[in-house]
Amino acid sequence: MWTSKTITFILFTVTTLLASSNAAENATTQPLFPAILIFGDSTVDTGNNNYPVNTFFRATHLPYGIDLPNHAGNGRFSNGKLIPDILAAKYNIKQLVPPFLQPSLSDQDIVTGVCFASAGAGYDDLTSLSTQAIPVSEQPKMFKSYIARLKSIVGDKKAMEIINNALVVVSAGTNDFILNYYTIPTRRLQYHHVSSYQDFILKRLDNLIGELYSLGCRNFVIGGLPPIGCLPIQMTAKFRNIFRFCLEKENKDSVVYNQKLQNQIPQMQASLTGSKILYSDIYNPIHDMMQNPSKYGFKETKRGCCGTGFLETSFMCNVLSPTCENHSEFLFFDSIHPSEATYNYIGDLLDAKIREWIAA
């Protein structure tokens, strides 16, 4: 027969174990950041280009989004999730990051963060002019509108606390080279050497980070350039490149730009008190995937999954385009943008870096 003391002890032990279990569960499900905020181009645009009337680049149609839960194009330039979605899910913030211009945003969508990026955008306003994208320099205007709505939901103090602690992802720059400097003569006449144009772009980036900092952002992850010369569309642009070699000159430009960006980050951080800025390496992971495809389960790295894979992107990659049978075997989904499989590999690497960075 159990005594009242025994029963009390058992109840105390069970209660303690349940409390410990709940605490452990809360620790694993608690978001690492209260919100995620995204600025940049098509590598991180989760659908803002669905809404401006004259935007040239859209991904509202299949086969874009075919591997998303609803199997429908919703503005993401890939077959599935992008880096913002992958990170948001890893940090228990949300499964998909909505675009700010989406009319049906809920209060919870706002509180946990949104995307301000626009496909075709660049740090250089001239880049966005040619694509009718929302320039990166204009994206903070949307952010200001976002802040006003956030304050109306949670109050001024809580809103600034969310923004101060949010993860801010900035990814752009590729379009400034492939859609502007390498293609349109205007900037080449102004900047005779690519090095001086890189400096111009990095100054524009510096201005962006400074503006976002003034609005309350503190935790920044800034993406570098990919190996631009290995993008399928760039290999296609060289008509005599029948063996589809990466364009080493353009890759070298990417390497130099990325090194300059890495050198600039400590100076940016020092000038913005309380900021934390992390460089996100895109170049080396993608370059390694090109060099060692089997390591990642890829069978094709020199063309996209959509259509011929040599030129198709945006409206050229559409419901009439044949697609590869296994999307995860292709490094690129269209002639510019990586597949979800590629983004997952990069997301895993970036996640490890961010957790290390936050813990430091």
Side-chain angles (χ1 to χ4, degrees):
M1 194 72 176
W2 287 354
T3 66
S4 59
K5 283 185 177 181
T6 304
I7 293 170
T8 301
F9 175 74
I10 290 171
L11 288 172
F12 172 76
T13 303
V14 169
T15 303
T16 303
L17 287 171
L18 284 172
S20 299
S21 174
N22 288 337
E25 185 178 341
N26 287 338
T28 57
T29 58
Q30 188 72 18
L32 190 60
F33 301 92
I36 186 166
L37 304 167
I38 312 296
F39 300 85
D41 60 20
S42 59
T43 56
V44 289
D45 179 5
T46 60
N48 283 309
N49 273 27
N50 298 0
Y51 305 102
V53 178
N54 298 322
T55 307
F56 184 70
F57 289 110
R58 293 177 187 267
T60 52
H61 52 274
L62 289 173
Y64 292 116
I66 195 167
D67 294 321
L68 287 170
N70 63 349
H71 308 293
N74 63 8
R76 289 166 172 80
F77 279 82
S78 189
N79 54 305
K81 289 185 172 185
L82 305 183
I83 292 291
D85 306 310
I86 292 164
L87 293 180
K90 285 180 180 292
Y91 302 143
N92 299 307
I93 301 171
K94 58 178 86 184
Q95 288 301 308
L96 295 170
V97 181
F100 178 66
L101 294 181
Q102 180 179 304
S104 58
L105 287 177
S106 68
D107 286 353
Q108 184 61 19
D109 287 332
I110 292 291
V111 169
T112 52
V114 295
C115 171
F116 305 95
S118 174
Y123 295 120
D124 183 351
D125 287 351
L126 186 61
T127 303
S128 304
L129 189 64
S130 67
T131 62
Q132 294 296 299
I134 305 164
V136 176
S137 64
E138 295 289 316
Q139 293 170 19
K141 288 183 181 178
M142 291 193 288
F143 183 43
K144 289 175 185 176
S145 298
Y146 163 85
I147 293 172
R149 182 168 171 191
L150 180 63
K151 286 180 176 179
S152 74
I153 297 168
V154 299
D156 290 11
K157 184 179 178 183
K158 181 64 176 176
M160 292 318 297
E161 184 182 311
I162 289 170
I163 292 165
N164 288 163
N165 292 288
L167 177 65
V168 181
V169 178
V170 179
S171 175
T174 300
N175 293 331
D176 292 312
F177 293 91
I178 68 171
L179 300 178
N180 188 344
Y181 191 81
Y182 294 148
T183 308
I184 303 170
T186 310
R187 288 304 190 202
R188 290 201 305 277
L189 292 171
Q190 188 176 356
Y191 299 98
H192 300 297
H193 300 288
V194 70
S195 178
S196 55
Y197 184 67
Q198 291 170 345
D199 295 339
F200 166 72
I201 293 299
L202 289 166
K203 178 60 179 171
R204 301 282 295 182
L205 169 58
D206 187 62
N207 293 341
L208 172 73
I209 299 301
E211 184 172 5
L212 295 179
Y213 175 87
S214 72
L215 294 170
C217 299
R218 293 295 179 268
N219 302 311
F220 299 93
V221 174
I222 303 176
L225 294 180
I228 288 177
C230 291
L231 299 181
I233 198 166
Q234 292 304 99
M235 288 191 275
T236 302
K238 297 294 182 183
F239 296 108
R240 295 177 183 173
N241 189 12
I242 58 172
F243 297 107
R244 299 191 67 75
F245 296 121
C246 292
L247 310 181
E248 289 309 316
K249 171 65 172 65
E250 294 184 4
N251 279 358
K252 184 181 178 183
D253 290 344
S254 295
V255 169
V256 172
Y257 172 93
N258 290 340
Q259 191 56 60
K260 286 181 177 182
L261 173 56
Q262 289 176 80
N263 292 340
Q264 183 172 305
I265 283 176
Q267 300 165 29
M268 293 165 65
Q269 190 167 286
S271 67
L272 303 173
T273 306
S275 68
K276 297 184 76 171
I277 306 176
L278 177 69
Y279 169 74
S280 172
D281 180 16
I282 306 298
Y283 186 100
N284 286 306
I286 290 182
H287 193 262
D288 191 54
M289 291 174 199
M290 298 286 298
Q291 298 297 316
N292 304 289
S294 59
K295 189 167 98 176
Y296 302 90
F298 292 132
K299 292 186 177 178
E300 179 56 67
T301 61
K302 295 184 177 182
R303 64 183 180 91
C305 167
C306 183
T308 64
F310 299 149
L311 281 172
E312 291 88 346
T313 189
S314 188
F315 65 89
M316 292 177 67
C317 173
N318 55 58
V319 69
L320 299 176
S321 307
T323 55
C324 60
E325 188 174 339
N326 190 336
H327 307 153
S328 64
E329 292 179 351
F330 277 61
L331 195 161
F332 295 97
F333 187 66
D334 66 14
S335 64
I336 298 176
H337 304 97
S339 64
E340 183 183 41
T342 303
Y343 280 134
N344 275 323
Y345 286 121
I346 295 172
D348 287 344
L349 293 170
L350 184 53
D351 171 42
K353 289 285 185 185
I354 288 172
R355 290 180 188 276
E356 183 183 314
W357 171 62
I358 291 300

